[in-house]
Amino acid sequence: MNIIKGNVTTPKGFSASGVHAGLKKLKKDMAVIKSEKLCSAAGCFTTNIVKAAPVVYDMKTVKNPIMGVVINSGNANACTGEQGLKDVEKTAGIMAELCGCESENILVASTGVIGVNMPMGIVEAGVEGCFRELDSDFESGEAAAEAIMTTDTVKKTACVQIDIKGKTVTLAGMAKGSGMINPNMATMLCFITTDAVISSETLQKALSAAVVDSFNMISVDGDMSTNDTVITLANGMAENEEIKADTEEYNKFFKALFYINKTLAVKCAGDGEGATKLIETHVYNAKTKQDARTMARSVVSSNLFKAAIFGSDANWGRALCAMGYSGADFDPYKVSLTFVSENGSIDVMDNGKPIVFDEDIAKKVLTPEKIVVEINAGCGEYEATAWGCDLTYDYVKINGDYRS
């Protein structure tokens, strides 16, 4: 696998754009991704019972061959009733007419404020504006990545290439996500393009598996969104031999797809609203894989622990407490815990017993922008990693006036 500089326009046959349509005051707020050919498609969506209109639409439409995606920020089109669904269908129809395909070949995604109807005049003009700006160059992919941001502070992209029996296959992705992020998908949007030849069924198998240990293992604030969406499009223009499930080529493709998902997921966690630190929690020697995942997610989701990390306070008891109420099966008298960063490491618990440690050294370890929490559950052979961020004063400030 070769990690390269690129974005959603890097795989063959894809173009994109991002424009300011007027859903937000000043920033880019609408994006389009288009393929030259109809694509195999796969998608994973929020598990929230309250689903935004685009999610309801995409969950049905993603089973069809797909040519393009329309994305907007600034308005989630969530909790908007039947009108919301009509607006999604109209948006897809506008894009389909421009692409020369059917509405059923277009996906739609939204992010932003909940409970506000879409201003369709702005949306229609925005789709047309995006279509005029479509290009396959790097800058157009970057513009699209910028246009899907809400409270994000940085664009989030990733790109890799792999060899499939002599053919170069490229995978690339862009994502947005900063707040309302909780395990089992979050208020994040992710769009992955690839020129691989792969069926929708095999692509869905790979994406569903890749999401489990990437986007389903991040948490910023414990709130699960209405709009969470991960879409993957494969147009086959690499002309490789078709990737079949459970083959060596599939395994190679899956590793590349997982890399894209994990890289973008970690970027979302690290860019949490108001965050100053990325928290990576690695639980190992757990009884089951699910126990490891559950404990790791619980630790990065704990507001008390996140606040302690913000203050560079080695309050490891909050991590153990979060493990205890997670529902995972473990023996607290066998747990060991270590904090690690670029400034070194410090053991704070050994086999259920507290370790007397130097507070000054602990503070030094917990000061950098990335903090790793190593937790030995001491009761099995399974491991998992979750990612989150610290909880800061700015998180409240950002969400106290989000609508304004």
Side-chain angles (χ1 to χ4, degrees):
M1 183 169 61
N2 184 25
I3 300 168
I4 65 172
K5 181 181 179 180
N7 53 45
V8 292
T9 60
T10 306
K12 294 178 181 177
F14 285 98
S15 56
S17 63
V19 305
H20 174 243
L23 293 169
K24 295 192 289 191
K25 292 179 180 179
L26 299 172
K27 299 178 181 179
K28 290 184 175 67
D29 50 21
M30 288 203 71
V32 160
I33 301 172
K34 180 183 176 295
S35 172
E36 292 180 17
K37 297 182 178 181
L38 288 169
C39 301
S40 299
C44 292
F45 304 93
T46 182
T47 56
N48 196 327
I49 292 176
V50 181
K51 292 177 171 58
V55 172
V56 175
Y57 172 85
D58 287 352
M59 289 177 73
K60 297 181 295 183
T61 308
V62 75
K63 299 173 184 178
N64 302 326
I66 300 298
M67 181 164 282
V69 188
V70 178
I71 314 133
N72 76 270
S73 59
N75 188 317
N77 193 8
C79 306
T80 48
E82 291 297 321
Q83 186 60 48
L85 291 171
K86 291 178 181 177
D87 290 342
V88 173
E89 292 170 358
K90 183 176 181 179
T91 301
I94 295 166
M95 179 66 176
E97 185 173 351
L98 293 169
C99 292
C101 64
E102 301 298 322
S103 297
E104 64 186 20
N105 304 126
I106 300 295
L107 298 173
V108 178
S110 300
T111 182
V113 177
I114 293 173
V116 178
N117 287 325
M118 294 293 287
M120 289 306 294
I122 292 176
V123 171
E124 182 170 359
V127 175
E128 293 171 349
C130 282
F131 197 83
R132 287 193 298 270
E133 297 294 323
L134 274 172
D135 205 308
S136 60
D137 60 9
F138 177 81
E139 290 72 22
S140 296
E142 293 295 290
E146 179 183 348
I148 66 175
M149 294 165 58
T150 49
T151 55
D152 304 64
T153 64
V154 293
K155 292 175 287 186
K156 302 168 179 69
T157 60
C159 187
V160 297
Q161 289 183 328
I162 55 175
D163 180 83
I164 299 292
K165 294 188 174 180
K167 295 289 187 178
T168 298
V169 170
T170 306
L171 299 88
M174 68 179 188
K176 64 80 51 181
S178 188
M180 210 184 218
I181 294 203
N182 192 45
N184 297 320
M185 303 289 285
T187 186
M188 42 71 52
L189 301 179
C190 176
F191 307 94
I192 301 168
T193 58
T194 178
D195 46 23
V197 178
I198 185 171
S199 70
S200 294
E201 293 76 15
T202 305
L203 189 61
Q204 186 65 59
K205 173 184 172 72
L207 180 62
S208 296
V211 162
V212 171
D213 285 314
S214 58
F215 285 111
N216 279 2
M217 294 298 288
I218 60 174
S219 179
V220 167
D221 50 20
D223 270 356
M224 185 186 297
S225 171
T226 55
N227 290 62
D228 319 327
T229 299
V230 179
I231 296 292
T232 303
L233 303 179
N235 64 14
M237 292 184 67
E239 299 181 341
N240 56 285
E241 182 179 313
E242 182 178 345
I243 298 169
K244 302 285 189 179
D246 305 319
T247 62
E248 181 180 343
E249 289 71 32
Y250 173 84
N251 292 337
K252 187 181 292 187
F253 179 82
F254 174 78
K255 288 179 181 178
L257 182 63
F258 178 72
Y259 171 83
I260 296 291
N261 278 267
K262 177 184 172 182
T263 299
L264 294 175
V266 173
K267 286 184 178 183
C268 288
D271 191 31
E273 289 173 342
T276 63
K277 298 174 185 176
L278 170 69
I279 305 171
E280 177 177 299
T281 297
H282 176 220
V283 175
Y284 60 102
N285 292 337
K287 283 186 177 180
T288 67
K289 182 71 172 179
Q290 189 55 48
D291 280 341
R293 287 175 178 143
T294 299
M295 287 186 279
R297 286 193 304 233
S298 188
V299 171
V300 298
S301 300
S302 165
N303 284 336
L304 283 174
F305 184 66
K306 288 151 61 71
I309 296 299
F310 169 61
S312 300
D313 178 12
N315 197 336
W316 58 268
R318 293 179 176 180
L320 187 64
C321 178
M323 293 166 61
Y325 61 64
S326 68
D329 183 16
F330 72 100
D331 183 350
Y333 292 99
K334 294 182 179 179
V335 174
S336 299
L337 195 151
T338 301
F339 291 115
V340 183
S341 76
E342 63 182 24
N343 286 348
S345 65
I346 187 164
D347 299 324
V348 294
M349 184 184 189
D350 180 43
N351 285 308
K353 299 176 183 178
I355 297 174
V356 178
F357 56 87
D358 187 307
E359 291 286 354
D360 291 334
I361 294 176
K363 197 168 191 69
K364 180 180 179 182
V365 170
L366 293 176
T367 298
E369 294 181 357
K370 180 179 179 180
I371 307 299
V372 179
V373 188
E374 291 283 354
I375 301 174
N376 183 349
C379 57
E381 58 184 23
Y382 295 91
E383 63 180 323
T385 303
W387 299 271
C389 62
D390 57 346
L391 180 60
T392 72
Y393 307 122
D394 285 341
Y395 177 84
V396 177
K397 292 179 182 177
I398 290 168
N399 284 283
D401 62 359
Y402 183 78
R403 283 168 51 87
S404 56

